[in-house]
Amino acid sequence: MVATQEKIASVSKNNLETFVSLAQTVFASTERLAALNLNTARSLMDGAVANVHGVMDIKSPQELISFQKSLMMPAINAAVEYSRAVYEITSGTQEVLGKFFEDKAVEIKGQVENSIEGALKKAPVGSDIALSGFKSVMDSANTAYASLKSATQKAVEMTEANVMQATDATLKSLKAAA
């Protein structure tokens, strides 16, 4: 009975540490997003004030057109940089959480396999066929999961590369047009 209580206490402690670690990851990501948003809002406000002062100094329609053109590229660059920063924060958090859940899945898989092996050793004569069938199903599911994970990872990498290329191409064409 004492061994069972110690095992329960150990599992509870591990679960608490896991929860704290996940919470810290989420809070750190939220903190980074909040700081990014505050800095962006401050920068937008400072830019708006500067733009109002710039508009007050305009004396001709040509100066107004020139002033408007001068505002376009910095605004586009700021929007792209903001999007990239948000993407970095969210993808980094997703990567950490994904790794955690993947590790947990491997851990659970090992526990299930150990349970099956233990059951096979203690099983009455004739039941080994059913347990072997269950083990075969588990192996097939693991293979399918690995294939799906690989395909998903390749799709994510390809999408990321395409988005970055499209963003860079858009910026280049806007700079050339300005």
Side-chain angles (χ1 to χ4, degrees), residues 87 151-165:
Y87 176 77
T152 302
Q153 183 64 31
K154 287 178 184 176
V156 167
E157 289 171 0
M158 189 170 70
T159 301
E160 286 176 356
N162 288 339
V163 167
M164 291 300 177
Q165 286 177 348

Side-chain angles (χ1 to χ4, degrees), residues 54 57-70:
D57 293 338
I58 294 175
K59 298 190 181 7
S60 70
Q62 292 80 14
E63 286 180 11
L64 177 62
I65 292 170
S66 177
F67 181 73
Q68 286 176 331
K69 285 183 180 180
S70 72

Side-chain angles (χ1 to χ4, degrees), residues 29-161:
S29 177
T30 303
E31 185 177 51
R32 288 178 61 201
L33 282 170
L36 174 66
N37 287 333
L38 286 173
N39 289 335
T40 301
R42 182 178 295 119
S43 177
L44 288 172
M45 187 182 75
D46 292 345
V49 169
N51 292 342
V52 168
H53 287 292
V55 167
M56 294 175 139
D57 293 338
I58 294 175
K59 298 190 181 7
S60 70
Q62 292 80 14
E63 286 180 11
L64 177 62
I65 292 170
S66 177
F67 181 73
Q68 286 176 331
K69 285 183 180 180
S70 72
L71 297 178
M72 187 172 75
M73 279 314 295
I76 291 171
N77 286 334
V80 168
E81 288 305 313
Y82 175 81
S83 297
R84 284 183 180 166
V86 169
Y87 176 77
E88 283 180 19
I89 292 168
T90 56
S91 67
T93 303
Q94 185 247 346
E95 185 177 318
V96 169
L97 294 176
K99 175 83 171 98
F100 166 78
F101 288 113
E102 183 179 328
D103 291 347
K104 283 297 177 188
V106 168
E107 181 181 320
I108 291 169
K109 176 185 171 242
Q111 291 171 350
V112 169
E113 288 176 351
N114 287 339
S115 296
I116 292 171
E117 292 298 323
L120 282 172
K121 291 177 185 174
K122 296 177 184 177
V125 176
S127 62
D128 58 338
I129 294 172
L131 289 173
S132 294
F134 182 72
K135 187 175 179 183
S136 176
V137 168
M138 289 295 292
D139 289 342
S140 296
N142 288 332
T143 301
Y145 171 75
S147 296
L148 179 63
K149 181 183 167 203
S150 175
T152 302
Q153 183 64 31
K154 287 178 184 176
V156 167
E157 289 171 0
M158 189 170 70
T159 301
E160 286 176 356

